[in-house]
Amino acid sequence: MALTDAGRALADRAGQVPLHIFAATGCPVDELQALRTALGQLRDRLVAAADLPPG
């Protein structure tokens, strides 16, 4: 199974989404990394408080 030319073009465009989101934030990399860490910790605490399996 293979992508069509249009599918490859779409995959290339989709691959640029994270870069565009990063640029749109206007935040430095270290700030976004700290935010990601904090959000992960928050998620873990909420999961623990709800006694749900991590995921």
Side-chain angles (χ1 to χ4, degrees), residues 13-37:
R13 287 183 57 210
Q16 296 298 314
V17 169
L19 178 61
H20 290 292
I21 291 172
F22 168 70
T25 68
C27 296
V29 172
D30 60 334
E31 188 176 320
L32 290 175
Q33 288 172 333
L35 178 59
R36 181 176 184 210
T37 298

Side-chain angles (χ1 to χ4, degrees), residues 1-4 8:
M1 191 179 319
L3 291 174
T4 63
R8 279 188 294 282

